[in-house]
Amino acid sequence: MIELTKIQAAQERIKDVAVNTPFSYAPYLSEEAGCNVYLKKENLQITGAFKLRGAYNKLATLSDAQRAAGVVAASAGNHAQGVAYSAAAFDTKAVIVMPESTPLTKIDGVKHYGAEVILAGTNYDEAYAYAKEYGEKNHLTFVHPFEDEEVMAGQGTVALEILDKCQTLDAVLIPVGGGGLIGGMASAIKALSPSTKVIGVSAKGAPAFKNSYELKKAVDTTSVRTIADGIAVRDTSPMTLATALECVDEMIGVDDEEIASGILYLLEKQKLVVEGAGAVGVAALLHHKLEHLKGKNVAVVLSGGNMDVTLLSVIIEKGLLKSHRKMKVTVTLIDKPGSLMRFTEILQELNANIVHIAYDRTSISLDYGDANVTVHMETKGKEHQEEIRRALKSEGYLREH
């Protein structure tokens, strides 16, 4: 457990650097979840995530000689930007090692603050091993993203801000990857509001920390696969696990489908861009994984907003299909003038808005003289889509996916 005085000292150090991000009631989500939900919007932090807090606090506690030599870090993106920003503030050299699959937006974000970027490894843990070796060879201080008391104390300042705004919380939902955020926050919460439940939410595709919490010993996984890249940590830190076992009341997991729905929900209903790691708490509430919180006051930490726009576009497109606002239909037409016009007239009569048409005459499954037409269209819900299917069937357009 991180001492409260250490977290309070961190708050004093970072007060002129990190933003005291908004903490506000979420009416639509509260209605959906059946509890009073408040969102802590760390996605609106200067670097787009809470990681700035721990990184700046760590650099602030280094000696002048250590800062003069420079620092090195390994990160999937948010810690990297936090270290890069903090190093620039102290006029310190920073080298950041990032996994090769890191989204371009996060790489560019790090370079923007003047840090050197090295891409190495397929995940955080491989990048971490490279960074440790690089730092030893070049006499740089390694800034760990979570296994460090000063870093954890910096992250714990999120809890101080939440409790300053609301003293009657029944539970706080916190994303969990390596455990630094929940370790720091849980330490502060249990020191100031012991009755408040601390609930960690992890991605099912990166289950090491949750498994370790349940087994009460550190266990690692062989691989991770999740859209929540900010919490895609393969191995468990004994240090952060020990803090979690002391201060955390519950751990749950959400899968990528649930995380994607949380991202889309926040975008549509809250007008917030939140990355996968930051959306796990909302995903847990939307999918009713915490029914014992009905009627309670619940804070949810939106830990970051550095979302890869390519992934976001895929999530939006799939979300539109799942919510029956878009549909795809493939039909077989006789390949002669007027066939396509009659087909599109039917869709027009049904108020379906065509956004894309693909025409295929060469598929080996087709008879000569036929063509497959695939249409993507905007629709007005499930009943509208069923009406379209019935109309196409009655007109003899039998081939449909």
Side-chain angles (χ1 to χ4, degrees), residues 274-286:
V274 179
E275 62 187 273
V280 293
V282 169
L285 291 175
L286 286 176

Side-chain angles (χ1 to χ4, degrees), residues 54 66 70 100 156 269 273 370:
Q66 287 174 312
E100 294 165 358
K269 300 296 186 181
V273 176
D370 285 350

Side-chain angles (χ1 to χ4, degrees), residues 150-334:
E150 297 298 349
V151 171
M152 293 172 71
Q155 322 303 28
T157 61
V158 177
L160 297 184
E161 292 176 6
I162 289 174
L163 293 175
D164 183 58
K165 296 284 180 62
C166 185
Q167 293 82 36
T168 58
L169 285 173
D170 296 296
V172 181
L173 306 188
I174 304 170
V176 179
L181 177 62
I182 198 169
M185 288 190 65
S187 296
I189 291 166
K190 292 304 180 182
L192 296 171
S193 181
S195 63
T196 300
K197 300 296 183 185
V198 177
I199 302 173
V201 189
S202 64
K204 287 186 176 179
F209 200 95
K210 180 176 181 292
N211 293 345
S212 299
Y213 178 84
E214 292 170 349
L215 293 170
K216 294 182 170 52
K217 65 177 183 179
V219 294
D220 302 333
T221 52
T222 56
S223 64
V224 294
R225 184 176 180 180
T226 174
I227 61 172
D229 57 290
I231 53 175
V233 179
R234 187 189 66 189
D235 299 336
T236 301
S237 159
M239 176 183 174
T240 57
L241 176 63
T243 305
L245 290 173
E246 185 178 357
C247 305
V248 175
D249 297 286
E250 185 180 353
M251 280 284 301
I252 62 170
V254 288
D255 62 32
D256 277 5
E257 288 290 336
E258 293 162 341
I259 294 169
S261 71
I263 292 169
L264 193 58
Y265 186 91
L266 286 163
L267 186 63
E268 284 197 290
K269 300 296 186 181
Q270 295 293 145
K271 316 308 176 192
L272 294 170
V273 176
V274 179
E275 62 187 273
V280 293
V282 169
L285 291 175
L286 286 176
H287 294 275
H288 307 290
K289 293 178 178 289
L290 296 161
E291 294 297 278
H292 58 287
L293 297 182
K294 292 284 187 183
K296 305 290 187 180
N297 295 325
V298 181
V300 182
V301 179
L302 308 181
S303 57
N306 292 315
M307 184 69 186
D308 176 28
V309 292
T310 302
L311 176 59
L312 181 60
S313 68
V314 173
I315 288 171
I316 292 171
E317 190 66 21
K318 285 190 173 185
L320 291 172
L321 289 167
K322 288 178 183 177
S323 61
H324 305 288
R325 285 175 286 177
K326 268 193 175 182
M327 72 181 296
K328 181 178 77 171
V329 173
T330 300
V331 299
T332 302
L333 304 177
I334 299 172

